[in-house]
Amino acid sequence: MELNIGMNIRRLRIAKGLTQEQLAELLTISAAAVSKWEARNTYPDITMLFPLAEIFGVTIDELLGYDEARAKEDVDKILAEYQRLHMEGRFAEGTELIVHARKKYPHDYRIMNKYMWDKAGGDAGNDAETLLKSKDELLQICDCISEGCTQDDLRAAAINMKAKLLHAAGNTGEALEVLSKLPAWHAPIMKEQLFRKDTAEFRYWNKKNCYGLMNVMSMKLARIICFDPSLFLAEKMERIEQMAEEFARMSKKKDLAFFCIGEESIYAVLADMLTADNAPIEDVIRIRERQFASMERMMALAETDDVLNEQIQAAYQTGDMIAWELNRLLNSPHPQFAKLRENTKYAAMLNKWVR
C-alpha cells in the first residue's frame, strides 16, 4: 500500500497556515527534511508521527492516509446528496449538509469548494454583501485550494472566487485581470458571472460570450461533417451548406441578425475544405461568394453593435473582414491558393470584392 504521508503533510501544513520552516522549527528538524517528505523523496522517522499528528490535530491513520479511500467514498456520497438536494430545490438542507461535511472533512478540497460556493450563495449573480461578510473565511479557503490542490477545476474555482471578492470590494479591474489568468475557454464565462444579471456589464459579457461561442460552435459543427470519413465530398458540401443556410435564415429574423456570425464561420470552413479537396471551381467560387456576403452582413451589424465590432477588431486587427480575407486569398504562397488564382473566373470573383 502506497503511503500518502508526504502529500498529507503538505496539505495539513497549508491548512494549518504553516510554512515548511515553521513546521520544521516545531519539530526541531531542518526545513530540508520537511521538503523531502512533501516531495515524497523520504518518509518521516517513526518518532515524528506522533508530534506531526498532534500538531495537525489528526490521527496517525489520517496522517498516513490509511482512511483516505473510505473518506473519499463518504465524500462522494455527501456531494451526490448535496447535488440531489439542490436539484430538488431543498437549499437549506443542502447548506446544513455541506456545513456538517466541512467540519467532518476540513481538509478535503472538494468539500471546501462546495462549502465555499454555498457560503457565497451560488456561483453566479453573487450578492456583494454576502461575499464580503464571509471574505476572510472564503479567502482562506481559496488560498488553501490554490496552494495545495492539484485539481485544475477546483483551482480555477478558487481563482474565480478571489475575483468575485475583488469585484464585491469595488476592485473590478483587478478582478478581471485575475480571471484573465484562467484558460481561454474558462475566463470569459467567469467574467460574465462577476456581475449581477440586471447590469450593463453582465449584458456586455453575456453578449461577448454568446458571439464567441457561436463562432466556435458553428465551426466545430461544420468540422464534424468535414472530417467524417464515411461521407463523399458532395455529401459533405450539401450538409454543411444546409447548415449555413439555416443560420442565414435565422439571421433574417427580428433581433437575430447575429446568427450571421455562425453563417460566416460555416462558409469559411466549407470554402477551405473545398479548396483543400480540389473541388470543382464553380463550387469554390459560389461558397467564397457566400462567405463574403455573410462577412458583409457582419460588418454592417458591427456598425451598431459595439461588442461585435470589438470582436472583429480583435480577430482581424481591422474592421474590414473582407479585406483581411482577400489579402489571404490573393497573396498566400500556399500552392492550393496559388493554383486557384490561375483560374480567371476565381480571380475575377476575388477582384470583384476588392474595395
Side-chain angles (χ1 to χ4, degrees), residues 295 315-318 320-329:
M295 280 183 160
Y316 296 92
Q317 303 301 306
T318 174
D320 194 336
M321 301 167 66
I322 293 175
W324 186 95
E325 183 72 340
L326 282 170
N327 181 62
R328 181 176 78 100
L329 298 175

Side-chain angles (χ1 to χ4, degrees), residues 17 23 35 59 65 90 97 116 121 146 169 191 217 250 342:
L23 178 59
S35 177
T59 66
R90 296 157 64 184
L97 175 69
M116 173 176 75
S146 297
K191 288 178 179 179
M217 177 200 70
M250 291 295 293
E342 294 174 1

Side-chain angles (χ1 to χ4, degrees), residues 169 214 253:
M214 177 172 287
K253 293 182 177 290

Side-chain angles (χ1 to χ4, degrees), residues 29 66 106 147 166 170 176 204 279 351 353:
I29 59 173
Y66 288 136
E147 294 174 19
L166 285 167
L176 293 171
Y204 165 82
N351 286 323
W353 286 93

